[in-house]
Amino acid sequence: MLDDRKASILRAVVQEYIETAQPVGSGRVSAAPGVDVSSATVRNEMAVLENEGYLAQPHTSAGRIPTEKGYRYFVDTIGAPGALRGEQAKQVKAFFARAHGELEEMFESTSRLLSGLTAWTGVVVPPSAADVAIRSVQVVGLAPSTALVVTVLADAMVEKHSVELPADVGDDVVARASLHLAAQLTGTMRGAVPADVATTGDADTDGVVGAVIEVLRRTTPADTAEEVFVGGASRVASAFDAVETVQQVLSVLEEQLVVVTLLRDVVDRGLQVAIGTETGMETLADAALVVAPYTVDGERAGSIGVLGPARMNYPEAMAAVAAVSRRLGHHLTEG
Amino acid sequence: MLDDRKASILRAVVQEYIETAQPVGSGRVSAAPGVDVSSATVRNEMAVLENEGYLAQPHTSAGRIPTEKGYRYFVDTIGAPGALRGEQAKQVKAFFARAHGELEEMFESTSRLLSGLTAWTGVVVPPSAADVAIRSVQVVGLAPSTALVVTVLADAMVEKHSVELPADVGDDVVARASLHLAAQLTGTMRGAVPADVATTGDADTDGVVGAVIEVLRRTTPADTAEEVFVGGASRVASAFDAVETVQQVLSVLEEQLVVVTLLRDVVDRGLQVAIGTETGMETLADAALVVAPYTVDGERAGSIGVLGPARMNYPEAMAAVAAVSRRLGHHLTEG
DNA sequence: GCTGGCAGTCGGTAACATCGAGTGCCAGCT
DNA sequence: AGCTGGCACTCGATGTTACCGACTGCCAGC
């Protein structure tokens, strides 16, 4: 839509603004590489860009800052995703080389990795458990009428739910139910627990089995608030200058369900980047989100992202998110 | 140490400052209830209080603000812990009345409750698992040479650890090891897993058993970074005016181990309140922490706290923390 | 059609006066 | 002896004014 010159001027404004967080004047733009016209020409072009909504002027005698539309154009014309800087690439490599242990820890530290790579806040949404096979089910009695059902999934995630038992039953009944359930459910997808399973012939045991099945069906991962891992939330403090904004963004990050929905939504819309209101949240008007899904065994699993101010370094953030999502998927596929 | 008049003047300054966050002048103090002397007298006394380190003056022509020592005196002379305001008491009651379900959820929402009651950030440290009996142990094979050991404790907490198996063993061996471990460990304290258990006679099985035991001993809860639940972290943004401080406090909250240690440390020193440097952390110099341990079955279990600015409403925060810790302990004891 | 030049705008900064909240001190009253 | 009213003084906050400089928009000329 924009001719080459306007495009390069817009690019220069965005890059300069990202770096300095100060309104950019025609002088600076004219001096920027890729712009070989005088500042007067730049002024004329910038006036047009402002009219068309790519730039804005805080006040008459100030330079321009990019609008949401301006950032959007910039992001859309970046072209190649770009590679990480050597140092960062090394950091990512080192991270996945020594990554091991619990999945939760892995996700947690991946979010911190993202934060470290970009100087903003990292977010990791684990794979939805619905499409993962159940590896083991165990029911453990806790009190006379409550038990805990612990489910291990094939991807090493562990779920637990407390179950209200229909009647005061003994440990032996619970144990029998546990074995029965393990036999019946091992191998089925977590999201496809059948409503009724084979009966055992013993009423008490069947009661326990039924209660557990019901809980497992009710808490199918897709419906449940899934966990999300946030790393580097403190960076939010330095990302925005208005205290109010900081507070609002932190509030968003505190609500796991909101964050999960947000990421999923952006990914589903096919976006790599959601800028300001594109996120669909008013409270994130000054923020931007760079996301990427990652695949495990060729299937889209979860997603990761970086949340920062609208004036974040998109090429860098996109490179970081792309690199981490690729390696994370790989890592999880390997097992 | 302070005579009645000085004490009441100090009290008035602290209360006023907590309310307005503005330096308090002699006029205001003189008008405060409990202070029945002229502003001139107040001025004289305030000069003394400043000399003795209870008050400070931001600049010559301003009022006084309390120092750490001033807050400390205030807190030490509050006397009765004070009751919650009716509305809040109702809120706490309602919360515990409908509390149910997973322990994690419970702790999570308790931290939010604390935050809601005080307008600051709530923190909940779950009971240390070391002194809790193991209710069930199960080993689940994931890949040829890795397995997951899932431990259910008597207090409904679930732990999981991945285990590197010594040799590629079949599912049957893992299953046998699992049963053997369950039989051997059920009932022992999580913190007292014995170094060697009875052998099974089968070398492969014993290999798996040994690996699991080693992991369980290595990850004894006391040594491990224990989880902590933080609610209302976004409140930090409005608690301090310097962005830098906000950022530092958020950083502290991001480090679970630091927070756990902090709370435990303060409780162990027998304090209910740690003000500024009393927390032992430079980055919390402008903050204060109100803590309380809670007891389950009469034993000290975990602790809860509220983190806010040094000028927080101590009576209110202490009442909230006391009430919640009492009811939380009660709730967990009931089971 | 680009560019240098120029008048004009307006935020930011500095210098300066003013205001007022608050202090320290002192003389006088009880 | 101790409290208090009074008073001079301090100093941040607020407002005024002037000025600087970074920009802009526009225009005439190359």
Side-chain angles (χ1 to χ4, degrees):
Chain A
M1 273 197 259
L2 297 179
D3 57 61
D4 280 3
R5 198 167 66 184
K6 284 196 188 62
S8 61
I9 287 173
L10 179 53
R11 238 192 306 282
V13 172
V14 173
Q15 269 160 350
E16 194 74 14
Y17 186 65
I18 282 171
E19 217 170 295
T20 65
Q22 298 290 329
V24 186
S26 57
R28 290 189 164 279
V29 174
S30 163
V35 179
D36 290 321
V37 289
S38 74
S39 63
T41 308
V42 171
R43 280 201 286 284
N44 288 328
E45 296 289 46
M46 289 209 301
V48 177
L49 285 170
E50 182 174 359
N51 257 329
E52 299 188 349
Y54 293 99
L55 295 177
Q57 221 175 355
H59 52 264
T60 317
S61 71
R64 305 299 210 290
I65 62 176
T67 60
E68 212 171 286
K69 188 174 173 187
Y71 286 123
R72 168 51 58 198
Y73 185 91
F74 177 80
V75 167
D76 286 343
T77 58
I78 284 178
L84 280 173
R85 282 188 283 112
E87 199 191 323
Q88 295 180 308
K90 208 184 293 177
Q91 205 177 329
V92 175
K93 206 164 175 178
F95 174 83
F96 284 102
R98 68 165 186 278
H100 64 286
E102 305 317 313
L103 264 191
E104 265 91 351
E105 262 173 53
M106 172 82 198
F107 290 131
E108 177 78 39
S109 51
T110 300
S111 73
R112 279 201 293 270
L113 171 69
L114 281 168
S115 172
L117 289 171
T118 59
W120 308 122
T121 304
V123 178
V124 175
V125 179
S128 165
D131 304 331
V132 179
I134 292 173
R135 198 74 186 70
S136 133
V137 177
Q138 194 185 17
V139 185
V140 180
L142 286 174
S145 68
T146 55
L148 199 70
V149 49
V150 178
T151 318
V152 179
L153 303 181
D155 63 357
M157 294 295 270
V158 175
E159 268 184 72
K160 56 175 222 187
H161 304 279
S162 66
V163 184
E164 209 60 35
L165 299 182
D168 287 13
V169 293
D171 272 0
D172 51 335
V173 174
V174 173
R176 220 166 321 142
S178 185
L179 284 174
H180 184 66
L181 281 160
Q184 296 292 316
L185 295 180
T186 298
T188 58
M189 291 294 143
R190 175 60 179 90
V193 174
D196 32 46
V197 295
T199 55
T200 59
D202 175 53
D204 276 355
T205 310
D206 284 345
V208 174
V209 169
V212 170
I213 291 280
E214 203 244 311
V215 167
L216 287 180
R217 287 178 58 83
R218 179 154 45 77
T219 56
T220 291
D223 310 334
T224 317
E226 282 174 80
E227 216 174 354
V228 59
F229 299 87
V230 176
S234 63
R235 310 262 196 179
V236 172
S238 45
F240 307 96
D241 17 50
V243 191
E244 210 188 21
T245 311
V246 172
Q247 137 101 305
Q248 285 173 344
V249 174
L250 285 174
S251 297
V252 170
L253 287 175
E254 278 190 81
E255 299 197 50
Q256 308 218 338
L257 183 55
V258 172
V259 177
V260 174
T261 313
L262 178 63
L263 278 257
R264 194 163 293 163
D265 193 54
V266 173
V267 169
D268 285 350
R269 277 188 282 156
L271 294 177
Q272 287 182 267
V273 178
I275 302 158
T277 58
E278 290 176 4
T279 57
M281 302 198 59
E282 294 149 27
T283 45
L284 295 183
D286 295 334
L289 186 64
V290 176
V291 297
Y294 56 86
T295 56
V296 176
D297 293 324
E299 304 240 324
R300 235 182 57 190
S303 44
I304 65 172
V306 168
L307 180 69
R311 52 165 195 75
M312 81 163 105
N313 189 330
Y314 292 100
E316 191 178 293
M318 290 166 77
V321 168
V324 172
S325 78
R326 198 165 45 76
R327 295 200 83 120
L328 178 62
H330 200 247
H331 189 86
L332 294 178
T333 301
E334 298 262 297
Chain B
M1 261 176 282
L2 296 178
D3 58 63
D4 280 1
R5 198 166 67 185
K6 285 197 187 65
S8 60
I9 288 174
L10 178 54
R11 239 189 307 280
V13 172
V14 172
Q15 268 160 351
E16 193 74 16
Y17 186 66
I18 283 171
E19 216 169 296
T20 64
Q22 299 288 331
V24 185
S26 56
R28 289 188 165 280
V29 174
S30 163
V35 180
D36 291 320
V37 288
S38 73
S39 64
T41 308
V42 171
R43 281 200 285 284
N44 288 327
E45 295 289 45
M46 291 209 300
V48 177
L49 285 170
E50 182 174 359
N51 257 328
E52 298 188 349
Y54 294 98
L55 296 176
Q57 220 175 353
H59 53 263
T60 318
S61 71
R64 306 300 211 288
I65 62 177
T67 60
E68 212 170 285
K69 189 175 172 187
Y71 287 122
R72 169 50 59 197
Y73 185 89
F74 177 78
V75 167
D76 286 344
T77 57
I78 284 178
L84 280 174
R85 282 188 283 111
E87 200 190 323
Q88 295 181 306
K90 207 184 293 177
Q91 203 179 329
V92 174
K93 206 164 176 177
F95 174 83
F96 283 103
R98 68 166 186 278
H100 64 287
E102 305 317 315
L103 264 191
E104 265 91 350
E105 263 172 49
M106 172 82 199
F107 291 130
E108 178 78 39
S109 51
T110 300
S111 74
R112 280 201 293 271
L113 172 69
L114 280 169
S115 172
L117 289 171
T118 58
W120 308 122
T121 304
V123 178
V124 175
V125 179
S128 166
D131 303 333
V132 179
I134 292 173
R135 198 75 185 70
S136 133
V137 177
Q138 194 185 17
V139 184
V140 180
L142 287 174
S145 68
T146 56
L148 200 69
V149 50
V150 178
T151 318
V152 179
L153 303 182
D155 63 356
M157 293 294 271
V158 175
E159 270 184 71
K160 56 175 224 189
H161 303 281
S162 66
V163 183
E164 208 60 35
L165 300 182
D168 287 13
V169 292
D171 272 0
D172 52 333
V173 174
V174 171
R176 218 167 322 143
S178 186
L179 284 174
H180 184 66
L181 280 160
Q184 295 292 316
L185 295 180
T186 299
T188 59
M189 291 294 142
R190 174 62 180 88
V193 173
D196 33 47
V197 295
T199 55
T200 59
D202 175 56
D204 276 355
T205 310
D206 283 346
V208 174
V209 168
V212 170
I213 290 279
E214 202 242 312
V215 167
L216 287 180
R217 287 178 57 82
R218 181 154 42 76
T219 57
T220 291
D223 310 336
T224 318
E226 281 172 79
E227 217 174 351
V228 60
F229 299 87
V230 175
S234 63
R235 311 263 197 175
V236 172
S238 46
F240 306 95
D241 17 49
V243 190
E244 210 188 21
T245 312
V246 172
Q247 137 102 307
Q248 285 174 342
V249 174
L250 285 174
S251 297
V252 170
L253 287 175
E254 278 189 82
E255 299 198 50
Q256 308 217 338
L257 182 55
V258 172
V259 178
V260 174
T261 314
L262 178 63
L263 279 255
R264 193 161 294 163
D265 194 53
V266 173
V267 169
D268 284 350
R269 277 188 282 155
L271 294 178
Q272 286 182 268
V273 178
I275 302 158
T277 58
E278 290 176 4
T279 58
M281 302 197 60
E282 293 149 26
T283 47
L284 295 183
D286 296 334
L289 186 64
V290 176
V291 297
Y294 57 87
T295 56
V296 176
D297 294 324
E299 303 240 325
R300 237 182 55 192
S303 44
I304 66 172
V306 168
L307 181 69
R311 50 162 196 77
M312 80 164 107
N313 189 330
Y314 292 99
E316 191 180 293
M318 289 166 79
V321 168
V324 173
S325 78
R326 200 165 43 78
R327 292 200 84 119
L328 178 62
H330 200 245
H331 189 85
L332 294 177
T333 301
E334 297 264 294

